[in-house]
Amino acid sequence: MTAIKGAYPVLITPMTEAQEIDWGGVKNNVNYFVDQGVAGIVINGSTGEFVSLSKEEKFQMVETVLKEVNGRIPVIVGTAAETTKETIEYTKQAEAHGADCALIINSYYCKPKENEIYFHYKEISKAVNLPIMLYNNPFTSGVNMSTELMLQIGKDCERVTHIKESSGEIAKVRDLARKGKGDFEVFCGAEELVMESYLVGATGWISVAGNIVPKLVTDMYQHFQNGELEEAWAINDRILPLCSFLEGSGKYVQIVKRAMELTDQAGGPARFPRLGLSPDEDQQLKDILANLSVGTHV
């Protein structure tokens, strides 16, 4: 099994002005991230607007990206859906095309109870052979899984090998990493708590900022792994304004898409009803990129 560790940018879905997927842009961006030396990438995640894509588009995204990557780096595929049946279908499709792991948040509209969440992951785990990264994000799913539930799922569900913790509660990262040792590994899902998460036992980061500064997030993890904490903290301090902007804006998809455009990669608009950045937000992004010495063409 491919080792899933390090900082993984969670990719946007580039689109044309007509709001159709820019498939050439998808391939362009994939090769850009491979060239930047990232540990791996995530597709069909929240930043990729997975809830705004059709089933056919999500399936084509998996086929296109896995073919383009061609085994050069690990690929994690978001396969979440509202029902257990659909989630299994998406996960099997990702597995069939060579994905290395499935990222699965709980049902996000019905706000399931803990026994329902347990059932959901247990059924998926029994149905597939692909490693699964359980995803806890109360801000988007409306449910904040308890540490005890996640530990139980990680222990009982053979395919659950990782947990992405995005509640912002650093104690959860700590307890999952320490008590779940041997059952699963923990990834940071909170842009502003990355170094803190590494320090309490996280072995990776599903990174929105990694779209914009892939080399910095990769170097930060590497410095941490090498015990070079001062260097890792220095990078953390540099990228924190970007991470805070992404977390606090409510427009993380639009910010990343605009940043990709500003750095000559494929971005485009988000799908409606998401609208673009205001002039003030656009200027704020340009200022942040300038302070990070990220070259832009605008």
Side-chain angles (χ1 to χ4, degrees):
M1 188 182 82
T2 305
I4 306 289
K5 291 178 185 293
Y8 278 56
V10 52
L11 273 55
I12 52 115
T13 299
M15 291 182 187
T16 67
E17 288 305 315
Q19 301 213 322
E20 296 301 322
I21 295 178
D22 172 7
W23 294 107
V26 170
K27 295 175 185 177
N28 169 87
N29 289 358
V30 164
N31 288 303
Y32 166 71
F33 287 111
V34 172
D35 291 344
Q36 290 290 307
V38 298
I41 56 174
V42 184
I43 60 169
N44 289 350
S46 301
T47 309
E49 300 173 82
F50 83 96
V51 291
S52 302
L53 304 181
S54 69
K55 175 180 172 179
E56 292 74 23
E57 286 173 327
K58 284 186 268 198
F59 277 15
Q60 190 175 343
M61 182 66 69
V62 172
E63 294 170 24
T64 302
V65 170
L66 267 299
K67 186 176 179 182
E68 194 66 28
V69 168
N70 195 26
R72 290 178 290 171
I73 55 172
V75 177
I76 299 175
V77 177
T79 62
E82 184 65 11
T83 66
T84 305
K85 180 182 178 182
E86 277 184 296
T87 306
I88 290 170
E89 182 185 3
Y90 286 133
T91 308
K92 283 185 171 179
Q93 191 260 351
E95 182 182 345
H97 284 88
D100 295 280
C101 184
L103 176 65
I104 303 176
I105 198 166
N106 57 273
S107 300
Y108 32 83
Y109 184 80
C110 74
K111 297 183 176 54
K113 306 302 181 196
E114 294 218 324
N115 64 322
E116 294 170 331
I117 295 171
Y118 180 90
F119 173 87
H120 184 64
Y121 285 101
K122 187 76 170 171
E123 289 298 300
I124 300 163
S125 181
K126 287 191 297 188
V128 303
N129 293 311
L130 189 65
I132 293 168
M133 181 179 289
L134 178 152
Y135 180 13
N136 181 45
N137 188 337
F139 307 106
T140 54
S141 76
V143 176
N144 191 4
M145 295 185 218
S146 69
T147 303
E148 293 69 27
L149 174 65
M150 289 188 276
L151 286 168
Q152 199 63 52
I153 292 170
K155 185 171 186 290
D156 295 350
C157 299
E158 182 187 352
R159 298 295 166 207
V160 176
T161 58
H162 292 75
I163 292 179
K164 178 187 175 188
E165 221 310 297
S166 298
S167 70
E169 299 171 42
I170 199 67
K172 274 192 170 167
V173 181
R174 177 198 67 207
D175 292 346
L176 289 169
R178 295 182 67 79
K179 296 178 181 177
K181 202 170 182 65
D183 292 325
F184 54 81
E185 295 185 2
V186 181
F187 265 52
C188 173
E191 296 286 299
E192 297 176 271
L193 291 172
V194 185
M195 276 298 289
E196 292 86 346
S197 296
Y198 288 158
L199 285 164
V200 296
T203 58
W205 173 22
I206 302 295
S207 173
V208 181
N211 283 284
I212 302 168
V213 285
K215 190 163 189 323
L216 286 177
V217 300
T218 302
D219 289 349
M220 180 172 146
Y221 177 77
Q222 209 51 60
H223 282 309
F224 180 81
Q225 285 298 104
N226 294 339
E228 298 157 356
L229 295 187
E230 284 303 313
E231 291 86 345
W233 272 114
I235 294 175
N236 183 84
D237 293 345
R238 277 184 68 193
I239 67 174
L240 201 53
L242 173 62
C243 293
S244 298
F245 187 36
L246 288 165
E247 286 276 30
S249 66
K251 290 186 175 180
Y252 61 98
V253 172
Q254 297 97 313
I255 290 169
V256 175
K257 286 194 155 184
R258 179 64 174 140
M260 295 297 281
E261 290 179 342
L262 289 170
T263 53
D264 289 323
Q265 308 308 318
R271 281 232 165 116
F272 298 145
R274 280 189 166 113
L275 299 177
L277 303 183
S278 69
D280 286 349
E281 290 164 338
D282 198 64
Q283 189 57 54
Q284 188 177 349
L285 174 60
K286 289 176 181 175
D287 292 345
I288 289 170
L289 293 180
N291 289 333
L292 284 167
S293 303
V294 174
T296 65
H297 73 271
V298 177

